[in-house]
Structure formats: structure tokens, C-alpha cells
Amino acid sequence: MDHDDPPPEAAGGNRTHRAPAAAPSRLSHLGRDIGYNLAALIIGVLAFSLAITLFSAGVGTAIIYVGVFVLVGALFTASFLAAGERALARWNSGPLPPTYYRRNPGGSVLRRLLSPLGDAQRWKDLIHAVVSFPVRVLAFSVTTVWIGGALGGLTQWFWYRFIPEPKEDVWDLLGIAPVWHPWIQLGLGIVFLLTLFPISRGLALLQRALAVGLLTNERRALREETTRLSSSRTQVIAAEAGTLRRIERDIHDGPQQRLVRLAMDLEAAKRRIDPEDQSTRELIDAALSHSQDALAELRALSRGIAPPILTDRGLVAAFEAAAATSPLPVALSIGPGAGRRFPAPVEQAAYFSGVEALTNAAKHSSANQCTLALSTDGSFLTLQVHDDGVGGAHPGKGSGLAGLRDRLAGVDGTLEVDSPDGEGTTITAGIPFGG
């Protein structure tokens, strides 16, 4: 909604309530268009003069290298004044598309200083300063004429009395009697007034179109923003993978070792107590059982976070270990090239996808066996898990497939579930890894 439009509640009233709200909006637009057409010439004269002067001086003295720095100054000046033009256009008609200037590269001071010469947007700013000047002059002149014509025609009843009466022998160009002159001027004033809004609006839109065409580069800005967000996401995923590996190492080197030592101490204490002291032996047996259960759970948690075998030996070895501990028989199929190492985020996403699919098959499918296939086409890793169970799996049923799809989305991966009733389930995960 435009900031000058009436509020939504005004639209629901009767006509007498809506009319007053529309008039100020139209007058506000008219005032902004007139202000834009008149004020733009001030920026235009300054931008045109500096652009022509600095560019000519820069080209003329480029042979002695001084002109190169003058051209840099011309580009910076044009960009500074282009910012004023964008602000004026936003004030007149709302936000403009985004503008992107190339980031200052690293390196020597001279390279950073001359980097604007390779920025296409700064050259477009300089071209706009030159090309827009005649358009600004046209907008200023026509707007001034229309305002003067409207005011002069509508106020002729006041100032016409001060004009001396013409002599009898004065030649009239149109052959119209002087008595009709005031009425003709009044009619012209009305025509100028009625056409002032569309004329000023059209001129303002013409200047805005020129600003959008030369002073913005939305596609480049969006492309750079996409690149920045992709790089940021890659860094976050890599940092997450490193954090998970660190947590796994901390669990393995800390709590796991302490639980192992606790179990050993309990076994030693059990051997030293009196064989007749059954109550104490029962307490030690219970403590030993709890410590072993806690150690098993901690090891399972550690494997779920980032199993050491995945970090050390890769996907194939990790899937072989997962298949060995699976309640269902699992047949592995490794395609050509799929046995090599992949980036850590890709390996983790593929491993968790495979383990989650095997876990779901063991819990929900009533299957007798599973097949896990891993293949690659050079830039895309494909993992497929098939079981011969009852089927009917769906990401919306709370079986963990929805979370698996979200995890794969973090690495631009895809998940497909094919699970007709009574015909088993095939889960296919695809993960790009960039070749």
C-alpha cells in the first residue's frame, strides 16, 4: 500500500467519507512530481558539469598517468551524485531496485585506489549524469511552463487590468478582438491546470525510468547476495561438522573412559568382597549393569553425532559398521567412484540419511532384509535404501523422514520416498558435492 493511500477502514465507509481521503493523495502526488521535476535539475546541472569536466580532464591527461586518478575522481563524484538522485526518486515514487558496487579488492594501495575503474556500475553512474541532463532540462522547462500557464490564465482577471489598451491600428496576429483575450487566457489556464498532473507525472516517471535503468543493477545485487549467503551457509555447515567431531572426541576421551574405569573398579571391588555378602554383591552387580548400560548409550550417542570410523575411514567403512549392527540383514552396493572421500558435510549428511533409513526399516517396516546402494555421477552423490517391508512410509507420519529431509536441505540435498502399501519402501537421498 502506498503511504499516501487512505487506510483500509476508510474504504468500507460511504462515498462522502472516501472523497476527502482521495483528494489529498492526488495533491500530494502532484506536489512530489512537481518538486521532483524542479529539484532534479539542480543535481543534474552539478552532475553534468562535473562529469563532463572531470572525464574530459582525465582522458586528456591520461597519457601522463595523472588523468587515471582524475577518472577515478570522476567516477566517485558521479556515484555520490547518483546517490542523491536515488534518494530523490525514492522520495517521489517509492523504493528503487537495489544497487551493488563491487567490493574493494585486497592487495596494494594502488590496486585498491584504481579498483573503481573496473566497476561497471560506477561507469553507468557517470553515463547517467550526462544522458539525464537533457531529460532534466525538459522536465524542468515543461513543468515551469505548465505552472506558469495555469497560474497566468487563472489569475488574468487580476493582472489584465494593468495592461494598457491597444491602439486602433495595432495588428492582431490571430485576428481576434481584444475583448475575447481574457476569456481565451482563462480557457488556456484551465487546460494547463487540468493537464498539469498527467504531464508532471509522466515527466517524473521518465526520470525515474532513467534512474532505474542506469543507477540500479538488481540482478547483480541479487547474484552477489546469493553468493554471500551460499558462502556463509557453507561456512556454518563446515563449522557444525567440526563442532560435532570435537564433541564426539570429547565424549570418547572423557565420559566414556571414566565409565570404563568405573566398570573396572566395580569388577575389582566385586572380587574382593566376601562371597557370603550377597546384598553387597547385588548392589555392585546393579551398579555395574547401570554403568555398562550408560556406556552403551553414550557410545551410541557418540556414533550418532559423528562416528570416528566415518571421520577416519569414510562412508563405505561407516556403512559397513552400521550394517553389521543393524537388526536387519543389510546388503551393501557401492558404485564406481562412491568409495572415495567426500567433503565432511556431505559424508555426514549421507551417513545420517542411511542410518536413519535403516533404523526406520528396522522399527516400522516389518522387513526381512534391506539393500543400501551408494553411487555417484561425478558431482552428485546418491544414496538409496530399499526394504521388502509393508510400505506405507511417508514424511508426514512422524517416522523421522521429515527431519531427514530438513537435514538434507541444509546441503542442498533432496529426499524421495517411494513406499506403496505392501511393496516395500525405497528412500533415495541425493547430495551435490561439486565434483
Side-chain angles (χ1 to χ4, degrees), residues 31-84:
R32 294 193 178 199
D33 291 338
I34 293 176
Y36 184 27
N37 294 333
L38 298 181
L41 184 64
I42 301 175
I43 299 178
V45 170
L46 186 61
F48 180 80
S49 304
L50 292 175
I52 293 295
T53 302
L54 293 176
F55 180 77
S56 301
V59 172
T61 57
I63 192 172
I64 58 174
Y65 302 111
V66 177
V68 176
F69 300 98
V70 177
L71 286 176
V72 173
L75 294 178
F76 274 115
T77 302
S79 298
F80 176 77
L81 294 173

Side-chain angles (χ1 to χ4, degrees), residues 238-258:
E240 179 191 14
T243 301
L244 290 176
R245 288 194 298 269
R246 187 172 64 253
I247 292 175
E248 189 279 328
R249 287 195 302 268
D250 292 342
I251 292 177
H252 181 271
D253 297 338
Q256 283 192 35
Q257 300 301 323
R258 291 188 176 90

Side-chain angles (χ1 to χ4, degrees), residues 270-278 281:
K270 182 179 177 181
R271 289 192 297 268
R272 294 180 181 180
I273 64 173
D274 185 357
E276 302 297 331
D277 192 355
Q278 292 297 325
R281 294 177 70 85

